[in-house]
Amino acid sequence: MAEGEPLSTSDRYLAPGTGVSDAWAAEAAAGGGHGTQKIVRAGEAGAPERVAALLGLERAGRVIERRRVMYLDGVPCELTDTYYPWKIARDTALAGTAKIPGGAVRLMAELGHVGVRAQEDVAARMPTEDERVALALEPGTPVLELARLTLDADDQPIQVDVMVMPPRGQRLRYEIRIG
């Protein structure tokens, strides 16, 4: 891998108490960039069909949704929607647009919900028009979509993340323990 080439690994986004208050800013800095994010919406919503299925909810079941735009050096590079079961996240900072001190994963751990397993699916597809505009993509440019389900020790779903990013400069790394 060439120096400065972006490398995304999920582990830094899944573990509470890593000592990093903003994992995205730390990842961007490690690659020589400046990472920021803007929370564009947060609150109660009906779960999209796919998210409802992953969380084990009825169709359009209630969730707390946090929608963010991630920026690298001021340029939008990822759209991230995070969904929490309503029964877990209602009446918490997850339902607001303010930055959460220590991050959402730390807050979830404080609420008694610690992820121990994650399942990720990555697919290439064409963006919606809203995604294309938000990411400043040329027409005909595909995106990568990474959908992550986080489960707790009881194998209960506690979080779903859906990330949409242009493929330019992306490299995803998965390390798998066998046995």
Side-chain angles (χ1 to χ4, degrees):
M1 180 171 91
E3 187 174 328
E5 183 179 323
L7 173 65
S8 180
T9 59
S10 297
D11 59 340
R12 72 186 88 217
Y13 297 99
L14 298 171
T18 60
V20 176
S21 63
D22 187 336
W24 164 236
E27 181 177 337
H34 178 70
T36 58
Q37 59 182 290
K38 178 180 179 185
I39 300 169
V40 295
R41 181 182 155 6
E44 187 175 339
E49 188 173 338
R50 178 172 162 200
V51 171
L54 288 168
L55 290 174
L57 303 174
E58 61 188 48
R59 189 174 186 176
R62 304 313 290 167
V63 293
I64 296 299
E65 172 190 58
R66 288 177 68 85
R67 303 193 93 170
R68 294 166 292 169
V69 179
M70 316 304 279
Y71 297 87
L72 180 60
D73 298 328
V75 177
C77 63
E78 181 177 298
L79 306 175
T80 301
D81 295 344
T82 302
Y83 303 90
Y84 304 93
W86 183 81
K87 66 182 181 178
I88 290 175
R90 71 178 184 272
D91 301 325
T92 71
L94 295 167
T97 56
K99 194 163 185 170
I100 299 171
V105 174
R106 183 208 46 83
L107 176 59
M108 286 289 285
E110 288 179 2
L111 295 171
H113 303 284
V114 176
V116 299
R117 185 168 68 90
Q119 166 187 311
E120 293 186 347
D121 291 301
V122 180
R125 63 172 175 79
M126 295 307 293
T128 66
E129 184 61 17
D130 288 344
E131 292 167 340
R132 190 187 70 71
V133 170
L135 292 169
L137 299 174
E138 294 294 324
T141 303
V143 293
L144 293 177
E145 180 183 86
L146 187 151
R148 177 188 306 134
L149 170 64
T150 304
L151 301 134
D152 67 14
D154 295 323
D155 224 26
Q156 294 299 304
I158 60 171
Q159 179 175 328
V160 170
D161 300 285
V162 179
M163 294 152 271
V164 175
M165 63 203 89
R168 65 180 178 259
Q170 293 292 339
R171 180 174 171 194
L172 306 173
R173 171 179 286 167
Y174 294 89
E175 294 183 21
I176 302 168
R177 293 190 189 274
I178 301 173

